[in-house]
Amino acid sequence: MKPIYILNGPNLNRLGKREPEIYGTTTLAEVEAMCRDVAGAHPVAFHQTNSEERLIELVHEAIDEGAGIIINPAAFTFTSLALLDALKMFPGPIIELHISNIHRREPIYHRSYVSMVATSVMAGFGAAGYPIAVRAMLARLAA
Ligand code: DHK
């Protein structure tokens, strides 16, 4: 069974401590545990990187080995054409996820390159958005 890739971009390694008024107090390790719990027997490849190159390499890995991608690209959402181009090569479902509601924030967070290729987009559910996205991905893969 091919894994679901859950990819996290820059600064999300600081989740739980980083701007808790926006991103909450749940840590990324707790988010990973919630995702694996919901995924059950379905394998999960969970990664975080502050490097654009590494994030693109993880998308390339998912192209060859993954069933679906759940991605919180963080700031690369609004800056990286390279990430968009990488995601365009992915044959399976892509869920773009943001912890905060980016559309209610400053204009710099309104135009997502990733939304141009994502199957689905979710924002503003907090850390709880991750297990919701996993359930949605499992349902999509089962369909
Ligand atoms: C996370 C970030 O790091 C920001 O750059 C985005 C996103 C929002 C989030 O809500 O998960 O704007």
Side-chain angles (χ1 to χ4, degrees):
M1 195 189 296
K2 286 188 167 188
I4 295 169
Y5 276 67
I6 305 177
L7 305 179
N8 296 278
N11 304 304
L12 290 169
N13 54 308
R14 309 288 301 179
L15 202 57
K17 292 180 290 217
R18 172 197 182 194
E19 298 176 277
E21 69 283 0
I22 297 174
Y23 301 107
T25 57
T26 304
T27 67
L28 195 63
E30 290 166 339
V31 165
E32 180 175 358
M34 290 193 283
C35 293
R36 292 188 184 282
D37 185 45
V38 169
H42 199 114
V44 165
F46 192 98
H47 298 278
Q48 186 278 332
T49 181
N50 295 321
S51 154
E52 186 176 7
E53 176 187 1
R54 176 72 180 131
L55 190 59
I56 290 163
E57 286 170 353
L58 286 165
V59 172
H60 290 174
E61 183 185 306
I63 290 166
D64 299 328
E65 300 166 16
I69 295 177
I70 295 169
I71 184 165
N72 183 344
F76 293 150
T77 306
F78 319 101
T79 62
S80 183
L81 287 179
L83 178 61
L84 169 61
D85 287 346
L87 290 167
K88 281 179 181 173
M89 295 184 278
F90 184 70
I94 298 169
I95 298 178
E96 174 187 351
L97 181 145
H98 301 284
I99 295 166
S100 65
N101 178 356
I102 56 175
H103 304 291
R104 206 172 68 175
R105 300 183 58 187
E106 304 93 306
I108 52 172
Y109 297 126
H110 291 177
R111 188 168 180 280
S112 164
Y113 285 117
V114 174
S115 293
M116 300 165 86
V117 69
T119 313
S120 315
V121 180
M122 45 188 306
F125 290 96
Y130 283 87
I132 295 170
V134 173
R135 283 194 192 89
M137 181 61 78
L138 290 170
R140 180 136 197 138
L141 294 174

